[in-house]
Amino acid sequence: MDGYGIFIPIVLGKWAYISIIGTLTGLWWAEALISGAITGMVVGDFNLGLQIGATLTLMSLGMWTYGGATMPDFNTGAIIGKAIGALAGAGANSLEVGLAVAIPTSILMTQL
């Protein structure tokens, strides 16, 4: 795969927006697991999307925003990590690359 056309980033950007709004309103489908699965369907590697989403969902267990604390945005991390991980190619290397991008992205989105 040489890269993505313009259609996939637009769809993923719209899904990231919907996911962030869902997180702020407390909807059940606004989880990293769901974001990873939907990104996997869009990009074409559903299994990798579930793996990255499940890992980020496990990282978010027990975290909640009490008293002004801010938790990482694992939804956006799952979307970006899955998209970059799919570009790395098939195999275990794509999971490592996806998580290596997803975790810093989640933390960076806390600041944005």
Side-chain angles (χ1 to χ4, degrees):
M1 179 183 290
D2 293 333
Y4 299 129
I6 192 69
F7 176 73
I8 289 178
I10 289 174
V11 169
L12 294 181
K14 289 184 181 199
W15 172 246
Y17 174 76
I18 291 169
S19 175
I20 289 170
I21 296 299
T23 300
L24 294 175
T25 58
L27 297 175
W28 65 269
W29 47 264
E31 290 289 332
L33 180 64
I34 305 297
S35 293
I38 290 176
T39 305
M41 285 189 289
V42 170
V43 173
D45 192 354
F46 185 71
N47 189 26
L48 181 63
L50 283 178
Q51 290 174 348
I52 291 175
T55 302
L56 292 177
T57 298
L58 285 173
M59 289 176 64
S60 71
L61 290 177
M63 289 184 168
W64 198 250
T65 56
Y66 296 115
T70 305
M71 63 183 279
D73 184 10
F74 291 112
N75 291 328
T76 306
I79 294 168
I80 301 295
K82 166 59 189 109
I84 299 298
L87 288 176
N93 188 28
S94 60
L95 177 62
E96 295 168 359
V97 170
L99 288 175
V101 171
I103 295 168
T105 302
S106 300
I107 296 169
L108 176 65
M109 289 303 293
T110 302
Q111 302 301 319
L112 298 177

